[in-house]
Amino acid sequence: MDPALPRDDHPRPRMTRERWTDLNGTWRFGYDDQDVGVDEGWWHRTDALEQTIEVPFPPESPASGIGDTAYHPVVWYARTFTAPQAEGERLLLHFGAVDYRAAVWVNGTQVVTHEGGHTPFSADITSALRREGEQVVAVRAEDLPTDMTQPRGKQDWRPGPHSVWYERTTGIWQPVWLEPVAATRIESLGWTPDLTRGELALRIGVDSRTFPLRARVRLSLRGEELVDATFSLSRRRATVRLPLDRSRIAHDRRAYLWAPDHPNLIDASVTLLHADEAVDEVASYVGLRSVALTGGRLRLNDRAIVLRMVLAQNYWPQSHLAAPSGDALRREVQLVKELGFNGVRIHQKIEDPRFLYWCDVLGVMAWAEMPSALDYEIDTVARLTREWLEAVQRDLSAPSIVAWVPFNESWGVPNLADDPAQQQAVRALYALTKAIDQSRPVVANDGWEHEVSDILGVHDYSQEADVLRERYGSREAVDRTLRDTEPYYRSLLLHELELADVPVMITEFGGVTFDPDSDAFWNGYGAVDDVEELASRYEQLVSALLDSPVVAGFCYTQLTDTAQERNGLLFADRRPKVDPARIAMVNRRVSEAVPADAIAEVQIVHAARRRQRLTVTPEDI
């Protein structure tokens, strides 16, 4: 995967240009608790900002240099920069995420506003630039701590963290950067493979006042050219279908397609041409894979696969929701792999694109989940819809994402079982997601109270393996559990559903707490006293699910200790509590839900032995 590795530091790995300027680092900063900054013109009065902050770390975090966790609903940022664009170019200012409502000024001119704390936005700031000298950018961020209709994920609305809720994140928490671009340029790219038809759909958006244009697309795999095609553009948005090699799809899967054990990524370059002159070029990549649900199983590239996921809050002690570095995002994905998981459920967070990049590169399937609001109003629906649309559009091309999750555990729709309006809201976001992307399943409300869903995700924190076997050990047991059992005092189904072909996955379970250094933790699911007991409990619970011929996947809670939750397989500093090889050995056991895994396991052993020129023994198998 070396050709893809240089993208790891770029804040937008799936569409890169060579020239960009990092604006992270030290900014001026100030609290505006009385909300007077707009009236007093703080966008050009940087002297009003008396502190400094390290961007992109939220002011609540120690890494920001501030570490103030009190209520501060309005904050301001400012810094100077030098414009890097050449004559005739435009200059774009990009923000990865600002929580929750942002307004941005450049040299006293407002250039953009944005609402939504987890999704990116940009502005063309060219007309606001001074002809020479330093430029000034100022940002006002408003984040009302107790507004429960605001999508917040796991951010606490109380003064301090409680239960499973953590410190708040205010303001800038993902990278800020500048990008000089051509006036006529590529604005967006989206890739969707269709293995059945042997095609790769490319959706391209351009910013141009002049047509026609042409776009040249080149695809290569490990240096081998796969496609070199040029097509005409007569409008700002177009879709072109590029041919794939059908014989490779059928017979050379491990070297051609994307999957956790062979995460092949195809390098792509797209060049925009006016007449015969190249006016813009971007680099990208794509993974060829299909996701389907049939026979009660998830199928990746038409082959049944059991999802063996871990729940990841992706929260760090020093930097909270913001990653400490790009390397920390890479390490997070590596840890998932080392523990033997093939997937990760990113919980209540729209993660930095660089995290998904490493999932793509290293071969980790991901569930993408919308951070929830916590109260139901008209504002809730409007805010969730707007931000979820932006999140899906941002990550539509990531091969690692295999499912979308707009709601979790009825958060934001607390009366889902009885309120027709809330039921329609869940149905609406399910249908809206399907309207944008038909290539992945949608889990409308993960955990319980399923109104509509492609996968029945069940949250069951029973600490007894025998109870899990009783509830999920056979088709009859699963049917009975779905209709009659309430694992967390909530009905699993709101309506009678045809269960035969809908995959059932235990998408939260375990949550076993172990912390030898503190008794000040939230113990909601169950605790153990030593490492051996933790490893034994893990093996028993996971084995109970893998022994089921019906359970099509699982997600263990959780990857790391997070704030007061000490139920991670890793401590908060990412040290393992149990030997990762021991956890991996349990996770990689053959599942009864996919008997063919046993054949594949023997084939892998044979292949490894052949490479070593050794003989396969019965003990190996």
Side-chain angles (χ1 to χ4, degrees), residues 180-411:
V181 296
T184 297
R185 62 186 178 273
I186 298 165
E187 196 171 53
S188 63
L189 296 177
W191 306 96
T192 303
D194 186 335
L195 302 189
T196 301
R197 294 185 177 183
E199 295 177 341
L200 174 63
L202 166 61
R203 295 174 307 283
I204 183 171
V206 298
D207 190 338
S208 177
R209 297 180 180 178
T210 304
F211 292 96
L213 300 168
R214 291 185 299 141
R216 181 184 181 188
V217 183
R218 286 168 287 182
L219 305 178
S220 63
L221 178 61
R222 293 182 289 275
E224 176 195 356
E225 184 179 281
L226 303 180
V227 171
D228 187 344
T230 301
F231 55 93
S232 297
L233 294 172
S234 58
R235 57 185 185 276
R236 292 171 59 93
R237 300 288 183 270
T239 298
V240 61
R241 301 189 182 279
L242 306 169
L244 299 175
D245 190 326
R246 290 176 177 271
S247 64
R248 280 189 170 184
I249 292 173
H251 304 297
D252 198 15
R253 304 164 67 87
R254 294 189 62 82
Y256 192 58
L257 302 183
W258 187 96
D261 59 344
H262 47 88
N264 300 296
L265 293 179
I266 293 172
D267 289 301
S269 69
V270 182
T271 305
L272 192 63
L273 301 147
H274 181 239
D276 290 327
E277 180 184 358
V279 294
D280 191 22
E281 182 171 270
V282 298
S284 184
Y285 67 89
V286 62
L288 303 179
R289 62 101 185 91
S290 64
V291 181
L293 305 174
T294 59
R297 297 178 176 90
L298 184 142
R299 298 183 185 275
L300 186 71
N301 304 331
D302 292 329
R303 293 186 178 180
I305 186 170
V306 174
L307 281 174
R308 304 156 192 259
M309 299 188 294
V310 64
L311 185 142
Q313 313 275 7
N314 287 13
Y315 186 100
W316 286 266
Q318 292 299 310
S319 56
H320 297 182
L321 280 184
S325 65
D327 188 63
L329 292 166
R330 173 192 55 80
R331 183 60 182 149
E332 205 81 342
V333 180
Q334 285 180 323
L335 288 167
V336 172
K337 292 283 286 189
E338 289 172 11
L339 289 163
F341 295 101
N342 63 13
V344 60
R345 180 177 164 217
I346 307 166
H347 188 45
Q348 289 298 293
K349 183 182 183 184
I350 304 298
E351 187 49 284
D352 189 307
R354 293 171 296 172
F355 179 84
L356 290 173
Y357 166 79
W358 284 113
C359 289
D360 296 338
V361 169
L362 298 177
V364 172
M365 295 181 287
W367 280 25
E369 180 178 315
M370 179 65 198
S372 297
L374 294 177
D375 193 14
Y376 184 80
E377 299 285 351
I378 293 175
D379 283 349
T380 307
V381 179
R383 288 170 165 179
L384 286 171
T385 300
R386 179 168 51 247
E387 197 165 354
W388 181 237
L389 276 172
E390 292 178 349
V392 173
Q393 287 177 305
R394 191 198 78 171
D395 294 333
L396 195 64
S397 298
S400 55
I401 293 180
V402 298
W404 302 112
V405 185
F407 287 95
N408 171 72
E409 290 187 348
S410 304
W411 293 354

Side-chain angles (χ1 to χ4, degrees), residues 491-542:
S491 298
L492 296 176
L493 303 178
L494 294 185
H495 303 288
E496 286 292 321
L497 299 177
E498 178 53 55
L499 302 178
D501 288 330
V502 180
V504 175
M505 300 186 187
I506 312 305
T507 48
E508 285 188 28
F509 78 107
V512 182
T513 294
F514 170 64
D515 185 352
D517 300 322
S518 173
D519 57 3
F521 55 76
W522 176 81
N523 181 16
Y525 307 124
V528 295
D529 296 324
D530 56 53
V531 169
E532 183 58 38
E533 190 178 358
L534 173 61
S536 177
R537 178 82 61 87
Y538 184 85
E539 181 174 5
Q540 292 169 18
L541 295 176
V542 171

